[in-house]
Amino acid sequence: MTGLFISFEGIDGAGKSTHIDHLADAFRAAGREVCLTREPGGTPLAEQLRELVLHRAMDSLTEALLIFAGRRDHLQQVIEPALARGAVVLCDRFTDASFAYQGGGRGFDLAVLATLESWVQRTEAAGLRQPDLTVWFDLPPTVAAARLAGARAPDRFESQPEAFFTRVAAGYAVRATEAPARFARIDAAVDRDAVARQIAGVFADRGWLPAEEGA
Ligand code: TYD
């Protein structure tokens, strides 16, 4: 079996988590090995970098370098070996988040991000490794903010004003336009069941999972 690399993206409050867990169950039920992982993080080293990135003050270049350093470790230690075994890698955020948050949100240089992407994602197996599919949970920042309100102590990104998330959302939209075949846009402003039906449709259309009853 060939491995599948699937990333999940969207602004904070888009509601990715339950859907990722559900997909993991569906792939396991279909007999696939599932590697459930996340960024920033996914290895002991990258999880330590995540703590720093989410909670320590730093300038934008330092932030981008730490995120991509963690990504390199994650790719080498976890993602590439899993894909080589034929597993389905479900990754909660990947490089599109760097373009959306660091590039869009923080206004960091997109050309530097593209350079880091080309260094970090160069692998023997794939040339430039990219997800086979990116499930993009798209919803207006005002709806996301209402969902997040009072949820828990916010990190360095969650504490940003709504205008930041408007720029992040625009960053995702640009990435989606640049790689339309890779992106599946999900309207995440509707209720959870309606979101789940859209996602089930995306995976059934590609022949990666059986069509869900009632979907
Ligand atoms: P998130 O998936 O939202 O974690 P949690 O659900 O536990 O809050 O990711 C943490 C934050 O990291 C999120 O606000 C987006 C940010 N982030 C970046 O700024 N750049 C990146 O490249 C990645 C992967 C995440």
Side-chain angles (χ1 to χ4, degrees), residues 12 16 39-40 50 54 67 71 92-94 97-98 101-102 152 155 157-158:
D12 288 271
K16 295 174 274 111
E39 289 212 352
R50 176 191 175 96
L54 294 190
I67 287 171
R71 181 161 297 138
D92 188 347
R93 301 190 183 283
F94 195 63
S98 307
Y101 281 78
Q102 280 63 54
R152 59 181 170 183
D155 62 37
F157 298 101
E158 290 162 343

Side-chain angles (χ1 to χ4, degrees), residues 168-185:
V168 173
Y172 276 126
V174 169
R175 286 288 277 184
T177 307
E178 288 169 354
R182 175 166 67 83
F183 271 80
R185 180 189 170 275

Side-chain angles (χ1 to χ4, degrees), residues 5 11 16 21 40 65 82 89 103 134 153 156-157 172 183 211 213-215:
F5 180 21
I11 59 175
K16 295 174 274 111
D21 290 343
L65 290 170
V89 176
T134 296
R156 284 178 64 237
F157 298 101
Y172 276 126
F183 271 80
E213 272 176 50

